Structure formats: structure tokens, C-alpha cells
Amino acid sequence: MACFGVAKAQVTGTTSVHVKLVDILALAVNNTDVNINFNTASDYQNGVSVPMAGHLTVTSNQAYTLNVKAAGNLAGTGVNTDVLAPTILTVALPTTGNNTTLGAVPTTVAGLTTTNAALVTGASPGLLKLVDVNYSVPSSISATTALLGKKADTYTTTVTYTITQ
């Protein structure tokens, strides 16, 4: 009996695979209240700083810029007509903790205003990236008439963060 080679038939098909990417950009403020309390003479002499670990969560598939601004003066409550200028506030991104992977050098915004000021420019893309923020009223402000002579009260403004790609 003789064996002969039998050629097998082969059929192929092709498809095109498309991967569509869209830009994503999200920002969440994880702690909606920040309390900077002046309780002692030492607080007025030395200023007060409040570190907020993981205060923001940023998602961006591109490099991004994170800005901060105040809505306006910090107003007292009730019949108190005293106000505190937003420039008393310093907002900073520390270079430690969650911020070590920002991929860009963060800055400090000393003297918050109603205009956007960059906290970091060209930060690396990331998903659900926690960002640490420090809020403070430094001693160069707290020991001046910016606070001294104001009525005892809780003064409030809204701080807004904005990210752009």
C-alpha cells in the first residue's frame, strides 16, 4: 500500500482592531472642610498649618496643570462685618507623601487670590492619584492686622481647584 501526501487546505481571515482613546480628566476634593484654628497666642505668633493627606484625587490620561483660587474674602458669620482677605491663605503641595509621583515640581501659592494660580504644571498622567495639600496662614500674616483686631468668629471662603490638560 502506498501513502501519498495530502495537502491540507488553509483559509485565513483578518480583522482590524481599533483602540480608541479619549481624554479623561477628573478631580475630586476628598475633605470638603478645612479648619485653620487660632486657639493660642503661639498660633498667632507662629502661624498655623494644616496638612491634608490625600485631599484631592486626580485622574488624567495626559499631563495636567492643577490650579487653585479663592471665591473672595473670608466672611464672618451673623452680624460680623469683618472680613479676612484671601491673601492670608497659603496653599501648597508638599514634595513628600502622595506627591512624590507627581512628575513635576509643585509650587506654593502664597497669598491666595480670586485668579487661578498653578500648584503644579506638567504633572504626570495618572488614575485616581491622591494629592496632598497643606493649608496655612503663615506667621508673616498671623501676627499682623490681617488677623489682629478682627472679631472672634469663623471666617469662610470657597477654595476652587481646577485641572486642565
Side-chain angles (χ1 to χ4, degrees), residues 6-161:
V6 176
K8 291 188 178 184
Q10 181 175 343
V11 177
T12 60
T14 61
T15 187
S16 295
V17 175
H18 306 276
V19 176
K20 180 181 179 182
L21 300 178
V22 297
D23 286 335
I24 56 168
L25 192 60
L27 172 68
V29 179
N30 299 318
N31 315 88
T32 56
D33 286 306
V34 177
N35 295 296
I36 303 172
N37 298 317
F38 284 81
N39 296 318
T40 66
S42 177
D43 292 339
Y44 285 93
Q45 291 170 332
N46 302 314
V48 174
S49 182
V50 177
M52 303 291 289
H55 186 53
L56 306 174
T57 301
V58 174
T59 294
S60 179
N61 68 312
Q62 302 288 333
Y64 63 91
T65 296
L66 175 64
N67 292 298
V68 65
K69 69 178 180 178
N73 287 332
L74 289 87
T77 59
V79 296
N80 180 5
T81 57
D82 284 348
V83 295
L84 306 178
T87 54
I88 68 164
L89 297 172
T90 294
V91 178
L93 301 185
T95 57
T96 58
N98 287 314
N99 298 352
T100 60
T101 60
L102 285 175
V105 178
T107 60
T108 296
V109 176
L112 208 56
T113 68
T114 57
T115 303
N116 273 331
L119 285 168
V120 66
T121 301
S124 298
L127 301 175
L128 300 174
K129 170 74 177 115
L130 292 176
V131 177
D132 300 339
V133 179
N134 286 346
Y135 293 86
S136 65
V137 176
S139 60
S140 60
I141 301 289
S142 63
T144 70
T145 56
L147 297 188
L148 299 177
K150 303 294 183 182
K151 292 180 179 76
D153 201 348
T154 299
Y155 294 82
T156 304
T157 191
T158 299
V159 173
T160 301
Y161 293 92

